[in-house]
Amino acid sequence: MTLADQSTNGEIPHQGRVAGVDYGTVRIGVAITDMGQQIASPLENYNRRNQQLDDRFFVQLADQEEVVGFVVGLPVYTSGLESQKSIEARKFGAHLQQLTGLPVAFYDERYTSAIAEEMLQGAGLTSKKRKARLDKIAAQILLTSWLESSRNNESSQPIEDF
């Protein structure tokens, strides 16, 4: 089973908006898909406050954006092994599923922040502006990768060894 296939509660429906979450202990980047799950767009950075306010934010997000599922980035080492942050992200995802009742999938988020930083530097933004956008852009990259994965591309066939 790959990271893309792992979820806490069933499969995310193929129609409806999906929220991508770049989990962090201080700030959480959020991206969202369109209803047809074709395009991922950065939504916002959420600065964590306390459990009650954090829970309220995600319940309201799910309600207001009509979210049908969440994709939580799983920070793993370059070797593919999970890290301590992976364990925290899994706990967060399980809590998110329990809180909202929506399915949560985990997806490998290696290099998303580095790619986002490179994109933002290429845009010529100041350091302050890059920092303000980094996590939601990383969430967008994560969600775009998930959308492009074989999970959502029924026409793609797995490559077989000959």
Side-chain angles (χ1 to χ4, degrees):
M1 181 177 283
T2 67
L3 293 175
D5 297 327
Q6 297 177 357
S7 67
T8 59
N9 183 34
E11 186 158 326
I12 294 175
H14 290 269
Q15 288 293 315
R17 299 183 88 183
V18 177
V21 178
D22 181 43
Y23 171 80
T25 54
V26 175
R27 192 172 39 255
I28 296 174
V30 180
I32 193 90
T33 69
D34 61 308
M35 293 297 277
Q37 298 180 13
Q38 299 299 307
I39 299 170
S41 302
L43 186 64
E44 69 177 281
N45 288 330
Y46 173 74
N47 291 313
R48 298 186 75 179
R49 293 166 181 91
N50 61 48
Q51 192 67 52
Q52 184 179 1
L53 292 174
D54 295 355
D55 287 354
R56 185 179 308 149
F57 170 80
F58 282 100
V59 168
Q60 288 176 343
L61 171 73
D63 185 50
Q64 291 171 354
E65 297 295 335
E66 300 176 7
V67 172
V68 298
F70 290 92
V71 176
V72 175
L74 211 64
V76 294
Y77 294 116
T78 53
S79 67
L81 296 175
E82 292 193 19
S83 65
Q84 178 60 38
K85 287 288 183 190
S86 300
I87 295 167
E88 292 174 26
R90 285 191 182 278
K91 286 181 182 177
F92 174 79
H95 177 73
L96 195 56
Q97 185 277 317
Q98 184 179 29
L99 178 68
T100 64
L102 297 171
V104 174
F106 298 95
Y107 197 77
D108 184 344
E109 73 165 22
R110 276 181 282 185
Y111 310 115
T112 56
S113 293
I115 294 167
E117 179 67 32
E118 189 175 301
M119 288 172 57
L120 292 169
Q121 282 180 343
L125 299 174
T126 65
S127 177
K128 185 177 180 178
K129 287 183 180 180
R130 285 194 313 266
K131 184 177 180 181
R133 292 171 171 83
L134 182 66
D135 295 308
K136 64 183 174 181
I137 299 297
Q140 178 190 19
I141 293 166
L142 162 78
L143 193 52
T144 298
S145 295
W146 178 80
L147 287 171
E148 292 172 351
S149 74
S150 61
R151 181 260 180 223
N152 276 336
N153 189 356
E154 295 175 359
S155 64
S156 72
Q157 298 296 318
I159 298 172
E160 297 177 10
D161 293 333
F162 293 100

